[in-house]
Amino acid sequence: MTLEHISPIDITTGHLNLRASLDACVKCTICETQCPVARVTDLFPGPKFVGPQGERYRKDGVIVDESIDYCSSCGTCTLVCPQGVKVAEINHHARTAMKQKKGIPLRDKLISRTTLMGAAMTPVAPIANWLLTIKPLRVAVEAVIGIHRSAPMPKAAGRTFEGWFKRHTPLPNAGTKGQVIFFHGCAGQYFEVETSIHSVLILEHLGYEVLVPKHGCCGLALQSNGLYDDARKYVSRLTQDLRSVNRNAPIITASGSCGGMLKHEAKEILGMETEALSDVSVRTWDISEFLLDLYDRGELDMNMQPIDVTIPYHAPCQLKSTGMGLPALELMNLIPGVKALESGQPCCGIAGTYGLKKEKYDIAQAVGQPVFDFIKQVNAELAACDTETCRWQLRTSTGANVVHPIWLLHKAYGLPNG
């Protein structure tokens, strides 16, 4: 199917049937009590107020309450709603409609282009990374563009994952169990390259031939900032790219947010119902989810070197929205000597690009403070988290080395660093 077959979203009559979901709200306020933003600031009255309650007064683009802009789209409200109301989705569309009517700021358009940022920074990585540490420059960027001077920023790896993969010689065991497709995402291509490399090496160690078709961005940052049309184009292009190789192979990703885009948000937020997306979404696995499934089937190599560590783990809100549970927590605890403890917090505050913005930075820090404290109390040197922006947030705010959970498994298998 082509872009013409993407269903438009209409809050009242669209295929998502959000209006029916809206009317199921019984005003129990559970979403209000669980909202990580509402609990730290009076600027956001809560998801029920701006969502199901406010939506009843929205018609023809009427802006009821601008406080909805402070919603971080963490999705906690939808997860905890006992009536199945799609609170986060309603709020997301209302906020986007407001932003589009008022005009989307240049800053939001710039920070949505992750691939462009990575491609620009990689060839000059040492200089780019150094410039991000210059306080006067960061102050100027805040004043001109609106990115907070202390916001966590990614560090360019100085090489791309695809460049490494082209030169990589597969491990001897690779291919004995068939093929898988690896979806690295923007950050896994330019910034969190080590995580992508570790993922491939683990999959090869377990017997899989790893295919990496050339592909780009999932469009999540564009969607989060209200650029729906551009995001749909990115998703459409990405799904075609991922289908350019073995169409029966599982698609594995180490980016919880990018996987969530394909498995949840492209349909639930963007309203996409293409054949390509349907095919790709059902074949997409988070890498921890995939490896834990192998364990459940007795196919995971349990010959691991012990690692004596207690490690704090934070499960990102976007990963939770896919409903897969906490596979990374279970996976890490399979490693001899490892004791992984989960933060129990709904969000670290960054929420993609939310915590980068100068007017939301302090809120993001307040939301994340319980997670920061948890890490410092459990292990101030090493922590784990599944998504890239969350790791950037936690590294910056705690000083800990925050890794993807598969970092531990790579170490336990004694695999090369690549």
Side-chain angles (χ1 to χ4, degrees), residues 78-97:
T78 292
L79 287 176
V80 301
C81 179
Q83 300 298 115
V85 180
K86 295 188 176 182
V87 187
E89 292 80 0
I90 291 170
N91 291 353
H92 203 298
H93 291 305
R95 187 186 63 193
T96 295

Side-chain angles (χ1 to χ4, degrees), residues 292-339:
L292 189 64
D293 182 68
L294 291 182
Y295 171 76
D296 290 340
R297 292 190 277 120
E299 298 178 13
L300 183 69
D301 179 10
M302 297 303 294
N303 184 21
M304 305 175 189
Q305 301 172 7
I307 304 174
D308 186 17
V309 66
T310 297
I311 186 166
Y313 167 68
H314 175 66
C317 48
Q318 194 145 31
L319 182 143
K320 294 175 186 174
S321 70
T322 63
M324 72 175 70
L326 301 175
L329 185 68
E330 297 182 59
L331 186 66
M332 287 187 288
N333 281 320
L334 292 177
I335 302 171
V338 172
K339 182 179 181 181

Side-chain angles (χ1 to χ4, degrees), residues 10 210 264 417:
D10 183 322
V210 180
H264 174 256
N417 287 324

Side-chain angles (χ1 to χ4, degrees), residues 347-348 364-374 376:
C347 184
C348 74
Q365 291 298 298
V367 168
Q369 193 62 53
V371 186
F372 309 155
D373 293 341
F374 170 75
K376 292 174 182 178

Side-chain angles (χ1 to χ4, degrees), residues 181-185 215-220 223 231-243 250-286 318 321-322 324:
I181 299 164
F182 183 65
F183 166 36
H184 51 66
H215 61 272
C217 180
C218 70
L220 177 60
Q223 171 212 281
R232 291 185 185 109
K233 292 175 184 176
Y234 274 52
V235 172
S236 182
R237 189 180 308 120
L238 173 62
T239 53
Q240 296 297 343
D241 289 340
L242 293 175
R243 299 180 83 212
I251 299 169
I252 314 298
T253 183
S255 174
S257 54
C258 296
M261 181 66 168
L262 293 180
K263 296 170 69 174
H264 174 256
E265 298 201 10
K267 179 179 179 181
E268 296 296 322
I269 301 295
L270 296 179
M272 296 183 67
E273 292 188 326
T274 66
E275 178 184 348
L277 176 62
S278 177
D279 170 49
V280 167
S281 65
V282 298
R283 288 194 286 133
T284 297
W285 294 72
D286 178 82
Q318 194 145 31
S321 70
T322 63
M324 72 175 70

Side-chain angles (χ1 to χ4, degrees), residues 117-119 121-126 128-129 154-161 164 186-197 392:
M117 184 190 306
M121 291 177 65
T122 297
V124 291
N129 293 336
K155 290 185 178 180
R159 59 173 174 168
T160 66
F161 164 71
W164 171 85
C186 300
Q189 165 76 333
Y190 296 108
F191 303 113
E192 298 287 316
V193 174
E194 180 185 70
T195 296
S196 296
I197 293 174
W392 303 339

